[in-house]
Amino acid sequence: MGKLTVLALRAVLVALLAGSVFVQTVMVPLLAVDMEELNADYAYLRTPFLVIVVLGVVTAQVVLVCVWRLVTMVRRGTVFSQAAFRYVHIVIGAVVAAALLMFALAVLLAPGEPVAPGIVLLICGAALAILGVALVVLVLRMLLAQAVARDVEAAQMQAELEEVI
Protein backbone atom coordinates (compact mmCIF):
# COMPACT_ATOMS: atom_id res chain seq x y z
CA MET A 1 0.00 0.00 0.00
CA GLY A 2 1.47 3.35 -1.03
CA LYS A 3 2.26 6.16 1.35
CA LEU A 4 -0.29 8.45 -0.28
CA THR A 5 -3.04 5.85 0.07
CA VAL A 6 -2.21 5.27 3.73
CA LEU A 7 -2.13 9.02 4.36
CA ALA A 8 -5.48 9.53 2.63
CA LEU A 9 -7.09 6.66 4.55
CA ARG A 10 -5.74 7.94 7.84
CA ALA A 11 -7.08 11.43 7.06
CA VAL A 12 -10.51 9.94 6.44
CA LEU A 13 -10.30 7.90 9.65
CA VAL A 14 -9.30 10.96 11.68
CA ALA A 15 -12.15 12.99 10.17
CA LEU A 16 -14.66 10.22 10.93
CA LEU A 17 -13.37 9.78 14.47
CA ALA A 18 -13.50 13.54 15.09
CA GLY A 19 -17.04 13.60 13.70
CA SER A 20 -18.11 10.75 15.95
CA VAL A 21 -16.68 12.51 19.00
CA PHE A 22 -18.57 15.66 17.94
CA VAL A 23 -21.78 13.63 17.71
CA GLN A 24 -21.22 12.17 21.18
CA THR A 25 -20.29 15.42 22.88
CA VAL A 26 -22.49 17.97 21.09
CA MET A 27 -25.25 16.36 19.07
CA VAL A 28 -26.42 13.72 21.57
CA PRO A 29 -26.88 16.28 24.38
CA LEU A 30 -28.79 18.54 21.96
CA LEU A 31 -30.91 15.57 20.93
CA ALA A 32 -31.58 14.82 24.59
CA VAL A 33 -32.77 18.40 25.13
CA ASP A 34 -35.02 18.20 22.07
CA MET A 35 -36.45 14.91 23.27
CA GLU A 36 -37.53 16.47 26.56
CA GLU A 37 -40.31 18.09 24.55
CA LEU A 38 -41.70 14.70 23.53
CA ASN A 39 -45.31 13.93 24.13
CA ALA A 40 -45.71 12.37 27.58
CA ASP A 41 -46.96 9.18 25.93
CA TYR A 42 -43.55 8.70 24.29
CA ALA A 43 -41.28 9.90 27.10
CA TYR A 44 -40.27 6.30 27.80
CA LEU A 45 -38.42 6.28 24.46
CA ARG A 46 -35.97 9.03 25.42
CA THR A 47 -33.39 7.16 27.50
CA PRO A 48 -33.25 3.91 25.48
CA PHE A 49 -33.07 5.90 22.24
CA LEU A 50 -30.16 8.00 23.50
CA VAL A 51 -28.35 4.91 24.82
CA ILE A 52 -28.73 3.20 21.45
CA VAL A 53 -27.39 6.28 19.65
CA VAL A 54 -24.36 6.57 21.96
CA LEU A 55 -23.58 2.86 21.77
CA GLY A 56 -23.96 2.96 17.98
CA VAL A 57 -21.38 5.73 17.79
CA VAL A 58 -19.08 3.72 20.07
CA THR A 59 -19.29 0.72 17.72
CA ALA A 60 -18.29 2.97 14.83
CA GLN A 61 -15.36 4.34 16.85
CA VAL A 62 -14.17 0.84 17.68
CA VAL A 63 -14.21 -0.08 13.99
CA LEU A 64 -12.29 3.09 13.08
CA VAL A 65 -9.57 2.41 15.66
CA CYS A 66 -9.22 -1.22 14.51
CA VAL A 67 -8.99 -0.17 10.87
CA TRP A 68 -6.29 2.33 11.88
CA ARG A 69 -4.33 -0.49 13.56
CA LEU A 70 -4.75 -2.75 10.53
CA VAL A 71 -3.57 0.02 8.19
CA THR A 72 -0.52 0.42 10.43
CA MET A 73 0.13 -3.31 10.13
CA VAL A 74 -0.24 -3.12 6.34
CA ARG A 75 2.23 -0.25 6.20
CA ARG A 76 4.75 -2.23 8.29
CA GLY A 77 4.18 -5.39 6.29
CA THR A 78 2.95 -7.35 9.30
CA VAL A 79 -0.74 -7.68 8.41
CA PHE A 80 -0.29 -11.31 7.38
CA SER A 81 0.21 -12.44 10.96
CA GLN A 82 -1.86 -13.81 13.80
CA ALA A 83 -1.91 -10.36 15.44
CA ALA A 84 -4.17 -9.02 12.67
CA PHE A 85 -6.92 -11.47 13.59
CA ARG A 86 -7.49 -9.74 16.93
CA TYR A 87 -8.46 -6.51 15.16
CA VAL A 88 -10.55 -8.29 12.55
CA HIS A 89 -12.46 -10.14 15.28
CA ILE A 90 -13.09 -6.87 17.11
CA VAL A 91 -14.38 -5.29 13.89
CA ILE A 92 -16.74 -8.22 13.31
CA GLY A 93 -17.99 -8.01 16.90
CA ALA A 94 -18.52 -4.25 16.69
CA VAL A 95 -20.43 -4.50 13.41
CA VAL A 96 -22.65 -7.29 14.79
CA ALA A 97 -23.25 -5.13 17.88
CA ALA A 98 -24.24 -2.23 15.62
CA ALA A 99 -26.71 -4.48 13.79
CA LEU A 100 -28.19 -5.61 17.10
CA LEU A 101 -28.51 -1.99 18.20
CA MET A 102 -30.42 -1.20 15.00
CA PHE A 103 -32.76 -4.13 15.64
CA ALA A 104 -33.17 -2.90 19.22
CA LEU A 105 -34.10 0.53 17.88
CA ALA A 106 -36.71 -1.05 15.61
CA VAL A 107 -38.13 -3.03 18.54
CA LEU A 108 -38.17 0.13 20.66
CA LEU A 109 -40.06 2.11 18.04
CA ALA A 110 -42.40 -0.65 16.81
CA PRO A 111 -45.11 -0.68 19.49
CA GLY A 112 -47.61 2.14 19.53
CA GLU A 113 -47.47 5.02 17.10
CA PRO A 114 -44.19 6.89 17.74
CA VAL A 115 -43.15 6.25 14.14
CA ALA A 116 -44.79 4.82 11.05
CA PRO A 117 -44.48 1.07 10.45
CA GLY A 118 -42.58 1.75 7.23
CA ILE A 119 -39.85 3.52 9.22
CA VAL A 120 -39.53 0.50 11.50
CA LEU A 121 -39.24 -1.69 8.41
CA LEU A 122 -36.51 0.60 7.01
CA ILE A 123 -34.63 0.38 10.31
CA CYS A 124 -34.85 -3.42 10.15
CA GLY A 125 -33.52 -3.29 6.59
CA ALA A 126 -30.61 -1.12 7.75
CA ALA A 127 -29.90 -3.62 10.54
CA LEU A 128 -29.87 -6.42 7.99
CA ALA A 129 -27.49 -4.42 5.77
CA ILE A 130 -25.17 -3.85 8.73
CA LEU A 131 -25.25 -7.56 9.48
CA GLY A 132 -24.32 -8.13 5.83
CA VAL A 133 -21.24 -5.94 6.36
CA ALA A 134 -20.26 -8.20 9.27
CA LEU A 135 -20.56 -11.21 6.99
CA VAL A 136 -18.40 -9.53 4.33
CA VAL A 137 -15.75 -8.83 6.97
CA LEU A 138 -16.00 -12.48 8.05
CA VAL A 139 -15.31 -13.57 4.46
CA LEU A 140 -12.36 -11.18 4.34
CA ARG A 141 -11.14 -12.73 7.61
CA MET A 142 -11.19 -16.13 5.94
CA LEU A 143 -9.14 -14.72 3.07
CA LEU A 144 -6.69 -13.28 5.60
CA ALA A 145 -6.43 -16.70 7.24
CA GLN A 146 -5.60 -18.27 3.87
CA ALA A 147 -3.01 -15.59 3.16
CA VAL A 148 -1.39 -16.09 6.57
CA ALA A 149 -1.28 -19.86 5.99
CA ARG A 150 0.34 -19.33 2.58
CA ASP A 151 2.82 -16.90 4.09
CA VAL A 152 3.79 -19.44 6.78
CA GLU A 153 4.05 -22.17 4.15
CA ALA A 154 6.24 -19.98 1.94
CA ALA A 155 8.51 -19.18 4.88
CA GLN A 156 8.88 -22.89 5.67
CA MET A 157 9.70 -23.70 2.05
CA GLN A 158 12.23 -20.87 1.96
CA ALA A 159 13.87 -22.23 5.11
CA GLU A 160 14.00 -25.74 3.62
CA LEU A 161 15.44 -24.36 0.38
CA GLU A 162 18.15 -22.51 2.29
CA GLU A 163 19.04 -25.72 4.13
CA VAL A 164 19.40 -27.56 0.84
CA ILE A 165 21.58 -24.85 -0.68
Side-chain angles (χ1 to χ4, degrees), residues 21-92:
V21 170
F22 175 78
V23 167
Q24 282 179 319
T25 58
V26 176
M27 299 305 291
V28 170
L30 289 175
L31 182 62
V33 169
D34 285 346
M35 290 185 77
E36 287 177 1
E37 299 170 7
L38 274 179
N39 184 338
D41 294 339
Y42 304 122
Y44 70 93
L45 294 173
R46 182 177 186 263
T47 301
F49 181 79
L50 292 172
V51 168
I52 289 171
V53 168
V54 169
L55 291 176
V57 172
V58 168
T59 61
Q61 290 171 334
V62 167
V63 169
L64 292 171
V65 169
C66 288
V67 169
W68 182 282
R69 295 294 301 151
L70 288 167
V71 168
T72 301
M73 293 179 81
V74 166
R75 189 74 188 122
R76 292 181 184 157
T78 59
V79 75
F80 296 119
S81 66
Q82 293 297 326
F85 288 104
R86 174 179 50 215
Y87 298 112
V88 174
H89 291 154
I90 293 170
V91 167
I92 292 169

Side-chain angles (χ1 to χ4, degrees), residues 95-140:
V95 174
V96 168
L100 292 175
L101 287 169
M102 285 298 280
F103 277 124
L105 180 61
V107 168
L108 179 69
L109 297 176
E113 295 182 21
V115 297
I119 300 297
V120 173
L121 186 60
L122 286 173
I123 293 171
C124 286
L128 189 61
I130 294 169
L131 197 56
V133 170
L135 291 172
V136 168
V137 175
L138 182 62
V139 168
L140 293 174

